[in-house]
Amino acid sequence: MNAIQVKGIRLFAPSSRKELIDEAFAQKKILVAVNAEKILMADQEFSDFISANIGYPDGVGAVWLLQRRGYSQASKIPGVELWLDIINERHQINTFYLVGGKEEVIQATVSKIKQEFPTISILGYRNGYIQSDEEKDDLINDIKSKRPDVIFIAMGSPKQEKLMEELQKVHSAVYQGLGGSFDVYTGRVERAPKWWLDNNLEWAYRLIKEPRRIKRQIKLVRFLRYLI
């Protein structure tokens, strides 16, 4: 896959979602959603983490950056959709493990997945509220024992990245951080309507719904310098 470097971050420009998924399985790496905010806020440690794995364009800012660097066909690949693409494509040949959300959310997520994909093999799951080193050790040991092919971690940044990095050291698999994707999947959080998504205006819709995000959005003006 083609890639560019920006602020020490290697950002891939996949030609399709399938290419991105195939690359993740070929390398057994962590899929890291990259947007303008992550690029701006990344310190050296986080930049190195993304570059050691597979950073993909999850936000329109990352897409614009790729397009400015010559990849005119670059398109947004929302992580909230990508994990379901992986399940759809690989559920008959790979095994899965899910971590994240409140207890009722992870229960509802697993139940819905099993309804939509009756033949899927989910080897384990738990909520995202890991309260102690003992709980984390139990999770690590369970994953080491069951050896799933794909692990989804929905805890938000940077918690999910730190956990995935730790897990990757003891068990090689495809990992993806999902933020609040389980809440969206189970209908607890509403995503932007199709028109807003099709016109790369999901950020604007979220701003209308959550005006307090304006401070974060104003900071993103600094990202424009990477597009010049």
Side-chain angles (χ1 to χ4, degrees):
M1 269 193 312
N2 294 314
I4 66 170
Q5 289 281 339
V6 55
K7 201 186 171 188
I9 295 171
R10 181 173 61 167
L11 174 62
F12 283 96
S15 60
S16 66
R17 296 190 189 194
K18 186 178 187 309
E19 182 187 27
L20 178 61
I21 293 170
D22 289 346
E23 188 73 17
F25 278 88
Q27 294 192 35
K28 290 191 175 180
K29 295 283 190 177
I30 300 172
L31 286 160
V32 187
V34 177
N35 56 28
E37 187 171 16
K38 282 187 179 178
I39 292 172
L40 280 176
M41 304 305 172
D43 56 18
Q44 187 62 55
E45 182 180 2
F46 194 59
S47 296
D48 290 344
F49 167 77
I50 297 174
S51 297
N53 291 286
I54 301 177
Y56 65 93
D58 168 77
V60 65
V63 172
W64 289 342
L65 188 59
L66 289 169
Q67 291 174 343
R68 290 286 293 178
R69 299 289 182 89
Y71 298 103
S72 59
Q73 300 306 310
S75 61
K76 181 179 175 181
I77 302 178
V80 70
E81 298 174 6
L82 181 61
W83 75 286
L84 294 172
D85 293 334
I86 292 173
I87 290 177
N88 185 57
E89 183 175 319
R90 312 285 300 210
H91 73 277
Q92 293 184 338
I93 56 177
N94 293 113
T95 56
F96 296 80
Y97 201 109
L98 288 75
V99 179
K102 296 179 180 178
E103 184 61 30
E104 61 267 27
V105 172
I106 189 66
Q107 293 283 354
T109 298
V110 170
S111 177
K112 184 175 179 180
I113 290 173
K114 288 182 176 180
Q115 288 178 358
E116 294 187 355
F117 306 94
T119 60
I120 193 170
S121 176
I122 297 178
L123 301 183
Y125 62 90
R126 64 149 295 151
N127 65 55
Y129 293 83
I130 301 173
Q131 303 292 340
S132 65
D133 289 339
E134 183 179 359
E135 286 190 13
K136 185 169 71 171
D137 289 342
D138 287 343
L139 172 63
I140 291 172
N141 290 331
D142 196 42
I143 286 175
K144 285 170 64 177
S145 172
K146 293 177 178 176
R147 303 189 63 78
D149 300 313
V150 183
I151 301 172
F152 296 124
I153 309 287
M155 295 172 63
S157 297
K159 288 183 179 180
Q160 63 189 21
E161 284 79 18
K162 290 180 178 179
L163 180 58
M164 288 188 294
E165 189 172 32
E166 191 168 351
L167 288 168
Q168 190 185 48
K169 293 176 182 177
V170 298
H171 174 62
S172 179
V174 173
Y175 292 83
Q176 185 185 356
L178 298 181
S181 294
F182 293 165
D183 291 301
V184 175
Y185 180 62
T186 56
R188 286 163 171 77
V189 173
E190 180 188 9
R191 201 172 171 211
K194 187 175 184 301
W195 182 89
W196 296 81
L197 297 175
D198 290 346
N199 288 278
N200 289 320
L201 291 172
E202 185 172 12
W203 63 271
Y205 181 83
R206 293 179 68 185
L207 181 59
I208 292 170
K209 289 289 186 176
E210 303 175 65
R212 66 181 183 276
R213 295 175 62 89
I214 187 64
K215 291 183 179 179
R216 291 173 60 182
Q217 298 294 342
I218 289 174
K219 290 180 182 178
L220 296 183
V221 172
R222 291 184 289 132
F223 183 75
L224 295 176
R225 64 192 175 101
Y226 292 105
L227 302 177
I228 299 175

